[in-house]
Amino acid sequence: MDKQLIAWSVYLAGGVLLGLFGWRITRGLSRYWRHFLLVSYAVLVFTPFSLNLADKPDAYAPALFIAVLNTLFQGAEAGLDAAVTLALIWVVALVISLVYLLLTGRRKRPPEPPAGEAPAVD
């Protein structure tokens, strides 16, 4: 089996488990904060970016790592491409999440009648 495939599988499994742990931790927050934090996490961890290697054109790594490491070792211009891609995907994911939250908003239930009374029929 390809070593790159094994590495990505381990990375994705760890990312999913950490995301589930984050979902559990943030259960006390409002829906909007919870989605904001978890969508931000998912974008930062799961957005791939090409390494632009001459001998391996299909090599990818997480965009956050590429942005940080290219900025540190090659200068701000080298890391800007991955950072812009990451920012655009983050904005799109937040808009999609907000639309989802607005469409699936909790509807108010009518108050329940006191015990012993028959419910009103409209």
Side-chain angles (χ1 to χ4, degrees):
M1 197 175 222
D2 187 22
K3 290 180 183 180
Q4 188 177 9
L5 181 62
I6 294 172
W8 269 107
S9 299
V10 169
Y11 179 79
L12 292 175
V16 167
L17 288 175
L18 188 60
L20 291 173
F21 185 67
W23 185 259
R24 177 85 172 140
I25 287 176
T26 60
R27 70 178 182 256
L29 299 176
S30 72
R31 292 179 72 219
Y32 295 100
W33 277 110
R34 191 176 191 186
H35 275 263
F36 173 77
L37 291 173
L38 295 173
V39 165
S40 298
Y41 164 77
V43 167
L44 288 175
V45 171
F46 296 121
T47 301
F49 194 77
S50 175
L51 292 174
N52 295 326
L53 300 175
D55 56 338
K56 289 191 177 188
D58 60 340
Y60 288 89
L64 179 65
F65 298 161
I66 299 298
V68 170
L69 294 176
N70 280 356
T71 301
L72 286 175
F73 295 116
Q74 298 175 357
E77 291 293 322
L80 193 59
D81 198 21
V84 167
T85 301
L86 198 59
L88 289 174
I89 291 173
W90 182 61
V91 168
V92 169
L94 286 177
V95 168
I96 291 171
S97 176
L98 182 62
V99 168
Y100 168 77
L101 286 171
L102 293 175
L103 290 176
T104 62
R106 295 183 180 156
R107 291 173 177 74
K108 294 182 181 179
R109 294 180 185 169
E112 294 187 21
E117 288 186 23
V121 178
D122 290 331

